[in-house]
Amino acid sequence: MKRVCLNPDCTLPEGGVCARAGEFSDPLTQCPNLVREEAEAENNEAPWSGLHMSESDAERLMYERPARVLGIVGPTSAGKTCLIVSLFLQLADGQCQDLAYRFASSRSLFALHEKCNEVGKWDGQTAGEAVSHTSLDLIGFIHIGLRPRSSENRHIDLLLCDVAGEQFSRFTSHADEASQQRMAFLRRCDGFVLVVDAIDLQGPRGRHLDAELARMAGRLVDTIVASGRREVPIAVMLSKADAVPELPRESGALLALLAARAPRLSTTLKRAQSHQIPLEVFAVAAIPRTGQPFGVQECFGYLLSHADRQARWPRWVPPVPESPSSSFLAMRVWRDEP
Amino acid sequence: MTHRLALLGGPESGKTTYLGAVIEALETGTSGSLSLAQTSTDNRPLERLTESLLDGHYPQRTAKGGRFSFDLALTYRPSEGPQQDIELSVGDYDGEEVERLFRERGDGWSPEWRARAQSSALLLMLRPDAIIPLPLLQRARRIEPPTPRPRGRFGEDPSTVFEPGIAAGEVPPRRAAAPDEPLRIPIPTVLTLIELLQFIRKTRDLAPAECPTPGTLRIGVILSAWDAVDPSWQSRSPADYASQHVHLLVDFLWSNFHTDDVMYFGLSSTGGNLADPSYRQRYLGNPGGFVEWSDVSGSVQRSSDLALPIRWALFGDAAMRHDP
């Protein structure tokens, strides 16, 4: 039997307290606002679909508890989905020792399973075909729940939005009202990954790619500035780095490389830095042809260090009064002193 | 007091064989401190589970859609404290049901599953020889086992300040893969079991990473057919094997349950391969199996009491104390 209360302030149906508890000794039987409805015939549907979470599912989850939303954007076939799959595979195999989190939950296990199967069948040779292209129809989120490795008893809901390349390109080209509404979730993102195909960047269409990436990065910077949340980081990820052995790994060297190979993008990144938007560049091989991935943990570790940062009150040290009254106070040892 | 125990596992994970072996141990009085208090009113499920084992054969796989449950009246005589009369409710079902539930979400979460979700304890059965990751681009390299751990017979060698046999809490960490080692992909069985556990937790109104009250929901991970595992891995603990091969499940359990409420066992319901005619003859002369786990001293303990995982699941570490 399902209970519904006509009193909007009452939380009894959800296991809380009757809003008129002071009037009745037994609100469950006496309160006139409490209405008993016949329970609907229980369906046998599973609690969730296991697929990508829709925007409304993500919104409902964020209503229940805080979540960190990461937007993963970039041109088509840059490696956005592979990045997510690689993170999951490394978590699944316990290869994320450098990440300060362990796997705790996922509402997208079926979607991840499908993507893992696709990766498993990839021959390693066909470019851009490790996983199927992201659907254009809906904005979808992959949910991964993490728990810090430390003794903290916390659960972090990570919502990874894999935006289809064509969709984001359209938004970049023309941010009309319809596309702005479609991309409204960007304002809620706690971090962005801009995925750049390192092979294409040094190929014959490198200049076109540079221009496209600069516009994409510009949209991200504008979104962050407009949201007023300057602490939202951007991670620029040079993907397929295993196929470009001469690519440096250090962020400073990668920025210098971008200045040389992608001047438009580099200029936009400088604009981001002028707004004090945190920014790092990573060389990443999410699904390398041989061996283990690299760069994925560093990229997500960087984003989470910002998105999961817990603000602390500034440390205040009360002044020690001068002697003769200070002898006891001078013996204080603050807990977090070295 | 009724305790409900749910056995969860995919196809060919060994649920039916284990149930049959446990019932045989209860009926022959070789199940340690657990014993049958009275004969069941309906013995048909028990007969179905033990019939094949009496002839030295594995029970037939549970038919598609097949499921049944039965109640056992048991007596638990701990080494300390008064004996307890308990009623154990256990069910068996077709292992593919778990995979169907994972794939087809529309109508799989049935009232039976919701009832199983309210169990006092869960035993997850995984078959190590079925844990084969999908090779990616090149043949997946076999995970080399580390150095063997010392072994100890259950109840002997009280070499630690703790009582012998008390289970180790922490699971060894996953070793870092070599740079040239290929990516490993989790097998579907692990994902289906994790999803099932998530559904169970959701049904019990547990939020992600919220641990149930200690002792109210214990999870025993049973690596079945442990006799068939590479001998070099048998010298290690089942927890170590799980950490290296099904790390996603290990992390999920670490994140969502108290350490004391999770336990890893290596179990052989029959002690060997009944498909081997020579072993079958030995089994018929001396039926039985074994269960292994690692204790707080780091040594691997072995016991012939197949009901040990059930005792631990119902009564916790207190059931692991030295039983003569």
Side-chain angles (χ1 to χ4, degrees):
Chain A
M1 184 77 68
K2 187 182 166 187
R3 291 193 203 99
V4 172
C5 186
L6 303 175
N7 187 330
D9 296 324
C10 184
T11 58
L12 187 62
E14 289 89 39
V17 178
C18 174
R20 299 174 66 176
E23 297 174 39
F24 308 109
S25 56
D26 185 9
L28 272 175
T29 54
Q30 294 172 319
C31 180
N33 298 137
L34 203 58
V35 174
R36 284 160 186 77
E37 293 179 355
E38 289 296 334
E40 291 174 11
E42 278 192 24
N43 62 45
N44 293 338
E45 210 172 326
W48 52 76
S49 67
L51 301 170
H52 284 73
M53 292 179 81
S54 64
E55 280 184 274
S56 56
D57 290 338
E59 196 176 348
R60 207 170 302 128
L61 184 136
M62 284 190 275
Y63 185 74
E64 290 172 13
R65 49 190 195 258
R68 277 72 170 173
V69 185
L70 298 181
I72 301 175
V73 302
T76 310
S77 299
K80 301 180 288 298
T81 308
C82 284
L83 179 68
I84 298 172
V85 173
S86 180
L87 174 68
F88 177 69
L89 287 175
Q90 290 183 74
L91 277 171
D93 200 25
Q95 298 304 319
C96 277
Q97 290 92 348
D98 293 338
L99 202 60
Y101 304 89
R102 289 171 75 164
F103 175 79
S105 68
S106 175
R107 289 206 184 174
S108 308
L109 274 182
F110 188 75
L112 287 164
H113 162 64
E114 296 276 275
K115 292 297 174 191
C116 290
N117 276 346
E118 289 176 21
V119 166
K121 290 173 187 159
W122 182 44
D123 62 5
Q125 305 303 320
T126 317
E129 293 294 333
V131 293
S132 55
H133 285 285
T134 308
S135 166
L136 287 170
D137 297 335
L138 294 166
I139 300 284
F141 297 83
I142 290 281
H143 171 255
I144 296 178
L146 301 172
R147 189 176 159 179
R149 286 179 185 274
S150 65
S151 54
E152 291 176 69
N153 190 14
R154 287 193 302 128
H155 180 266
I156 295 107
D157 290 282
L158 200 57
L159 291 170
L160 303 168
C161 184
D162 181 8
V163 185
E166 295 88 340
Q167 233 177 37
F168 197 70
S169 290
R170 231 175 277 153
F171 171 66
T172 301
S173 290
H174 185 204
D176 59 4
E177 200 175 315
S179 62
Q180 280 193 41
Q181 197 160 350
R182 203 166 171 72
M183 294 286 163
F185 77 92
L186 291 177
R187 289 195 292 273
R188 172 57 184 82
C189 283
D190 299 295
F192 292 100
V193 183
L194 176 62
V195 184
V196 178
D197 190 324
I199 301 172
D200 285 352
L201 194 61
Q202 58 182 21
R205 289 195 58 81
R207 284 163 54 85
H208 289 271
L209 182 59
D210 176 32
E212 185 183 7
L213 289 167
R215 288 191 288 270
M216 286 184 171
R219 277 278 182 261
L220 293 182
V221 172
D222 294 343
T223 302
I224 293 170
V225 170
S227 71
R229 299 164 63 213
R230 303 292 176 96
E231 73 282 3
V232 173
I234 298 176
V236 179
M237 191 193 87
L238 291 166
S239 65
K240 306 173 192 175
D242 59 314
V244 188
E246 65 272 18
L247 212 58
R249 302 289 176 95
E250 197 261 328
S251 183
L254 286 166
L255 273 168
L257 182 91
L258 283 178
R261 297 251 179 96
R264 288 177 178 81
L265 173 62
S266 180
T267 304
T268 311
L269 295 179
K270 283 183 183 134
R271 181 158 71 88
Q273 286 171 324
S274 71
H275 286 292
Q276 278 93 52
I277 294 172
L279 179 78
E280 285 267 356
V281 186
F282 299 89
V284 173
I287 311 284
R289 286 186 170 83
T290 58
Q292 290 285 310
F294 60 83
V296 177
Q297 291 183 55
E298 289 83 345
C299 180
F300 281 101
Y302 168 73
L303 290 168
L304 284 169
S305 69
H306 287 273
D308 193 33
R309 183 164 48 196
Q310 294 168 290
R312 294 187 184 277
W313 290 104
R315 187 176 165 219
W316 173 70
V317 179
V320 177
E322 295 293 325
S323 58
S325 62
S326 68
S327 57
F328 174 74
L329 293 172
M331 288 191 292
R332 289 175 312 184
V333 175
W334 292 102
R335 192 179 301 171
D336 53 356
E337 269 185 9
Chain B
M1 183 179 179
T2 301
H3 292 267
R4 194 185 175 103
L5 180 73
L7 251 68
L8 307 179
E12 296 192 4
S13 55
K15 299 185 297 300
T16 307
T17 307
Y18 176 60
L19 281 176
V22 165
I23 289 164
E24 185 164 333
L26 286 167
E27 288 177 342
T28 55
T30 56
S31 52
S33 48
L34 269 182
S35 58
L36 283 173
Q38 65 187 58
T39 309
S40 299
T41 310
D42 183 2
N43 274 322
R44 286 174 297 175
L46 281 67
E47 287 165 4
R48 200 184 320 174
L49 288 169
T50 56
E51 194 178 333
S52 298
L53 285 174
L54 290 170
D55 291 329
H57 297 294
Y58 290 114
Q60 271 192 339
R61 275 183 65 170
T62 312
K64 181 177 173 179
R67 57 172 83 102
F68 60 90
S69 65
F70 54 93
D71 298 326
L72 291 172
L74 303 174
T75 302
Y76 173 51
R77 293 186 183 83
S79 54
E80 288 173 14
Q83 77 177 36
Q84 295 181 45
D85 291 326
I86 60 175
E87 189 163 312
L88 186 64
S89 182
V90 190
D92 192 20
Y93 57 90
D94 152 39
E96 262 104 19
E97 201 173 313
V98 174
E99 293 191 346
R100 273 196 302 278
L101 183 59
F102 185 67
R103 287 192 312 266
E104 301 151 22
R105 311 278 176 124
D107 63 353
W109 193 239
S110 59
E112 289 85 6
W113 277 110
R114 289 200 190 90
R116 280 188 203 117
Q118 303 302 332
S119 299
S120 327
L122 305 175
L123 292 179
L124 306 184
M125 299 204 67
L126 281 166
R127 206 179 149 119
D129 61 2
I131 300 174
I132 301 170
L134 298 173
L136 175 65
L137 307 180
Q138 58 191 38
R139 292 192 67 77
R141 184 183 300 177
R142 178 176 161 270
I143 299 178
E144 294 299 328
T147 51
R149 283 182 181 270
R151 290 197 153 265
R153 290 291 301 175
F154 181 56
E156 297 170 2
D157 188 21
S159 58
T160 67
V161 297
F162 301 102
E163 296 189 33
I166 295 294
E170 294 297 326
V171 176
R174 169 78 169 100
R175 289 192 304 286
D180 59 344
E181 201 174 316
L183 268 179
R184 297 166 62 86
I185 298 175
I187 57 162
T189 305
V190 172
L191 298 182
T192 56
L193 281 178
I194 290 172
E195 190 75 306
L196 191 54
L197 287 171
Q198 292 191 120
F199 287 172
I200 287 171
R201 290 173 54 86
K202 176 74 175 168
T203 304
R204 295 173 75 120
D205 291 327
L206 289 167
E210 179 188 355
C211 297
T213 305
T216 57
L217 180 60
R218 293 190 189 90
I219 312 283
V221 180
I222 297 181
L223 300 174
S224 58
W226 191 242
D227 57 280
V229 164
D230 189 313
S232 51
W233 275 106
Q234 284 189 36
S235 61
R236 298 293 297 178
S237 68
D240 203 357
Y241 187 95
S243 178
Q244 309 309 319
H245 292 84
V246 287
H247 195 84
L248 192 67
L249 178 64
V250 168
D251 269 0
F252 176 80
L253 294 173
W254 176 86
S255 297
N256 291 282
F257 296 92
H258 289 290
T259 309
D260 291 342
D261 284 346
V262 180
M263 180 70 170
Y264 295 86
F265 298 96
L267 180 137
S268 174
S269 299
T270 56
N273 185 7
L274 293 181
D276 174 358
S278 63
Y279 182 76
R280 180 172 163 263
Q281 288 306 314
R282 290 203 302 277
Y283 177 80
L284 288 171
N286 184 21
F290 63 85
V291 59
E292 292 187 350
W293 71 100
S294 65
D295 69 9
V296 289
S297 68
S299 62
V300 177
Q301 299 286 342
R302 175 186 275 217
S303 168
S304 56
D305 178 9
L306 292 177
L308 189 72
I310 295 176
R311 269 198 351 249
W312 173 84
L314 297 180
F315 304 108
D317 284 350
M320 307 288 286
R321 290 202 185 105
H322 174 195
D323 277 15

